[in-house]
Each structure stands twice: as structure tokens, then as C-alpha cells.
Amino acid sequence: MAKILKTLAKHNPLRKRKSKSKAATIRLLQWNILADGLGEDGFLATEFSPIFESADVKSKSYSANEFMKLVREAKLADTASGMASKFSELKGAEKMLKKLKESAEGYSELRESTRKLREETDRSELVKLKKQFQNSPQLQKVDGEILSWSKRSERIKRIVLQARPDVITFQEMDHVQQFLQDKDFSARYTCMVDAAKAYKPPTYTGHKGGSPHDDLSPDKYFHHLLASRAAFAPKSYSNAYLFRSKRDAKAPGTHTIDSIDTIDDDGCVIFWKKDTFKPVELGFLRIPSDTEKSEAVVALTLQHLKTDTMLNVLTAHLPSGDEHSKELERLAVLNNPSANWTARRICFDNKDKAWKEVPYEDNPKFVGIASYVKHFVDRKQTDSSRTIFALDA
């Protein structure tokens, strides 16, 4: 759910230009929008109730509370029976199977064990519930009326333009180019630190398991982030990209915003009002990974045009899930001294009027997201800047 956060940004006494105001109130909108590519991943909504089991008017109906009670009971039953663990095991096996070539050693055995896991999970209470309501008109309506990107994107835009926040942090955004090209939205907001650059989504070769030629391969990830000049950190090889590319490939004549050339991975992005701020620094902290996948924290420093106030805005999407293992993952990305953390940034050079990559001051050693955020918070001692960390999990 969208939240409006407020922070008071104080005058920076170290700036040469005199402040026209002692303070400026900054309104920030934080929103995990649910990626378009993930919108068909089994999400439920009870806006259309009562919920019938089928189109037959004589079929049993449930109120919203009754239906969600069935869902909760099914989840609890699957957890108690160990079925929830089987789903996690199946997900891991399917990922591994995708990476292996059919000729690889152990492929046949893994394929067979994956098949057996699918058979087991098909007997779960959640799957049974899904089959029970698979022909429900009310649940089918959710996809077209709530999860449909064409309708959701218009609602998102309308809410933003009505709320008029100064800064926006989105998670699971996989339509950066669409928002930058939207006439009404782009008239007020941008995520491009260099207005002369045009944003272009990264390209993939399509090779199984990734390729060193991909724009977001591990070796090229930072280069793409910094060269794009966008306050956007996509998750490379994301499920959102995979699902959208498969879905859109099945729909000939798809609208331009959904064509394969404009499909983005989902990620974190920061937009700001063009007539209120000037970007002066853009950086990223890459989350350590032992796979081909990469993701990062976005850190943007904005200068308030009227007051010269410096505002640091950071955003991240922590691992989601209510399992104990997911909580451990969240703690690990916040602080993990044993992992290999890397951060890079570009700053605007006022003398040369160009964006240049420069190392972080004092060459800090980051050991997690918490230390990265603290680095910006500590800047208050030297430039009186304020820091906002907007995140979701």
C-alpha cells in the first residue's frame, strides 16, 4: 500500500549559495506496486464477493472473510504436513533443472525427482482449494479488473498525480520506460539523472543460465546501472522478465509498451519532481550473490532547488516471505561482514558539466545495507543533509 512519508530537510550552511528558506517539507511516496510480470502468479483478492465456486448460480458461495479463512486453513494444513517445504524443494529443483543441459550428468534423475515432487504438491490443500474455485467468476474477474497492467498502471499514475509527492520510491517496477514516456507523468517526474540520456531496457541473448554478453551479466551489471544514468536497479534474470517475455511472445501485435524490446526486469526505482530537485549523485550497493543474478540498493542524492538542501534517498526490496529462512535472509542483507559487498557511484562534476564515476569518500567498507544507509546518515555532520531509507520486503 502506498504510504506518504514526510521529512524535514534543513538548510545546508556549507553551500555557497544563500538559502531562500530555512526549511523545506519533502513528501515521499513509497510503493511496492507488484510487478506486471508477477501479476499472474496466483494473487488473490476478495473485492468481488460473495465468491462462488463456479458460474452455476446454485454453487456454494462464500463471503470474503469465509473465503480467506479457507485460504489460511489450507496454508496452515500444508505447513503442518510438511507440504510447504515440498513446494520450496520443488521450486529449487525446477530452477536447477532449467540451468542443466539435457546431456548433463544427473539431468534424468533430477527431472524424475522433480516430477515426483509435482505429483506430491498437487495433493496439497492449497492446490485442492485452487481446483475447487478454478471456475469462480469472481476470482477470474480479479485478473481483468485488478491485476491487469493496463488498468493498474493507470491507477498508479492517477494516484501519484493526485498525491503530488516530491519523491517516489517504487519496488517491483518493470515498466520504467513506460512511465518515462508517459506524457502526464514525465511532465512532472523523472528517474534520469542525465536528461540528455534516453532510458533503454537491458538486452539478453536468451542463453540458458545467462551469458557474458548479456547487459546484466554479473561482470556487466554495475556498468549497465551507471551507464544508464537511471536511478533504477533491476533484478537481473528476474522472474518478472521471464514471465512477461513468455506471455507477450504468445500475443502477436502486442502494444508497444509490452513489446520484447521494452521489457524490463523488475527492480527498485526513484522518481523525483523535476522542478523541485537537481540530482547530484547516484550510487548502487550490489547485494552479494553466488548465482548469475544481481540486484542492488539505489542511493540518490538530490539538491533542493529553492533551498540548496541536500536529500539522500535510498530504496531496496528485501527478501519477502514469512518463513524463518526468509527472516534470516533479510538479516543477512542488512548486515553480513563475511560477504563481498561492492558499491559504486557517479557524481555530477560542476566544472566539466558531466557525470563521472568517483569512489566513495574515505573508501568505506560496506558490510550490508545497514552500513550503506549509515554512510549517508553520517553525512549530516558535514553537509547537514537528511536521509530517507524507503524499503519493502
Side-chain angles (χ1 to χ4, degrees):
M1 181 177 288
K3 305 165 193 168
I4 295 289
L5 307 177
K6 290 186 178 180
T7 185
L8 189 65
K10 295 183 177 178
H11 167 56
N12 180 358
L14 300 181
R15 294 285 163 184
K16 292 180 180 179
R17 189 158 58 125
K18 239 183 179 182
S19 172
K20 300 175 185 177
S21 171
K22 291 185 178 179
T25 299
I26 307 301
R27 300 172 66 247
L28 183 142
L29 174 67
Q30 150 62 22
W31 198 345
N32 182 333
I33 63 169
L34 172 59
D36 174 22
L38 302 177
E40 299 176 9
D41 199 24
F43 288 91
L44 295 171
T46 58
E47 273 76 2
F48 310 110
S49 59
I51 299 168
F52 287 82
E53 291 181 341
S54 71
D56 187 345
V57 293
K58 295 181 180 179
S59 65
K60 191 172 182 180
S61 66
Y62 300 79
S63 68
N65 287 337
E66 289 171 337
F67 177 75
M68 292 312 296
K69 182 181 179 182
L70 291 178
V71 175
R72 287 193 297 271
E73 289 175 345
K75 286 183 176 181
L76 289 172
D78 283 347
T79 299
S81 66
M83 192 63 73
S85 298
K86 291 290 184 182
F87 274 109
S88 297
E89 192 177 340
L90 174 61
K91 188 176 181 180
E94 287 177 333
K95 281 185 178 180
M96 194 177 298
L97 195 63
K98 286 180 181 178
K99 293 180 181 180
L100 285 179
K101 294 181 179 180
E102 293 185 13
S103 59
E105 183 180 351
Y107 181 86
S108 297
E109 292 80 359
L110 180 59
R111 182 176 60 184
E112 179 61 20
S113 63
T114 302
R115 183 189 66 78
K116 290 181 178 178
L117 280 170
R118 287 196 189 105
E119 288 182 352
E120 285 186 71
T121 53
D122 278 346
R123 296 192 291 270
S124 80
E125 294 302 316
L126 270 176
V127 171
K128 290 178 184 177
L129 190 63
K130 184 178 180 179
K131 291 178 179 178
Q132 180 183 345
F133 287 90
Q134 63 183 352
N135 295 317
S136 168
Q138 291 73 35
L139 295 185
Q140 290 173 353
K141 198 175 179 181
V142 169
D143 288 339
E145 297 297 323
I146 296 178
L147 297 178
S148 165
W149 178 252
S150 62
K151 294 188 178 182
R152 277 205 296 132
S153 61
E154 283 300 312
R155 285 197 293 266
I156 291 169
K157 185 179 78 170
R158 185 172 65 251
I159 290 171
V160 169
L161 296 181
Q162 287 177 350
R164 300 178 66 87
D166 300 296
V167 181
I168 311 162
T169 53
F170 286 132
Q171 292 82 41
E172 293 196 19
M173 168 59 80
D174 57 349
H175 278 281
V176 169
Q177 192 172 57
Q178 177 187 348
F179 277 82
L180 285 172
Q181 292 178 348
D182 183 272
K183 182 180 177 181
D184 296 327
F185 187 89
S186 63
R188 297 183 188 175
Y189 297 99
T190 187
C191 67
M192 303 296 294
V193 297
D194 187 345
K197 291 273 288 187
Y199 177 76
K200 187 179 183 299
T203 58
Y204 291 120
T205 60
H207 292 164
K208 197 173 185 180
S211 163
H213 301 293
D214 293 342
D215 284 348
L216 292 184
S217 63
D219 290 341
K220 291 185 175 181
Y221 187 69
F222 263 122
H223 173 77
H224 175 82
L225 296 188
L226 298 176
S228 72
R229 299 295 195 260
F232 175 50
K235 301 174 184 176
S236 63
Y237 307 102
S238 67
N239 286 332
Y241 178 93
L242 176 66
F243 296 157
R244 266 188 71 196
S245 57
K246 285 183 176 179
R247 180 194 70 195
D248 295 347
K250 296 177 183 178
T254 309
H255 193 276
T256 304
I257 63 171
D258 283 331
S259 69
I260 195 70
D261 293 332
T262 62
I263 292 181
D264 247 322
D265 290 277
D266 75 292
C268 298
V269 63
I270 303 173
F271 285 93
W272 62 92
K273 276 186 176 178
K274 295 188 288 187
D275 62 357
T276 304
F277 296 103
K278 177 178 74 173
V280 295
E281 178 182 328
L282 174 64
F284 302 91
L285 174 72
R286 184 175 181 270
I287 310 298
S289 172
D290 55 5
T291 71
E292 77 279 1
K293 295 190 175 186
S294 301
E295 60 181 299
V297 179
V298 187
L300 176 72
T301 299
L302 298 167
Q303 181 179 351
H304 195 273
L305 295 176
K306 290 184 178 180
T307 67
D308 276 351
T309 298
M310 304 302 286
L311 178 69
N312 308 308
V313 182
L314 294 88
T315 188
H317 192 190
L318 304 188
S320 60
D322 53 9
E323 303 96 331
H324 177 66
S325 60
K326 290 297 182 181
E327 180 65 11
L328 293 178
E329 285 184 40
R330 283 189 285 272
L331 292 173
V333 297
L334 289 173
N335 183 51
N336 186 0
S338 63
N340 182 29
W341 295 86
T342 51
R344 290 169 62 179
R345 68 171 179 171
I346 52 175
C347 297
F348 187 73
D349 188 314
N350 282 307
K351 181 180 179 181
D352 295 336
K353 303 299 180 184
W355 286 88
K356 297 180 179 180
E357 182 170 0
V358 294
Y360 280 93
E361 60 269 30
D362 301 325
N363 295 313
K365 177 177 172 55
F366 299 117
V367 294
I369 295 176
S371 64
Y372 192 55
V373 175
K374 185 177 184 298
H375 170 80
F376 289 91
V377 172
D378 288 346
R379 286 184 178 180
K380 182 180 178 181
Q381 307 302 321
T382 57
D383 65 7
S384 298
S385 63
R386 292 292 187 179
T387 298
I388 302 176
F389 180 32
L391 73 159
D392 192 69

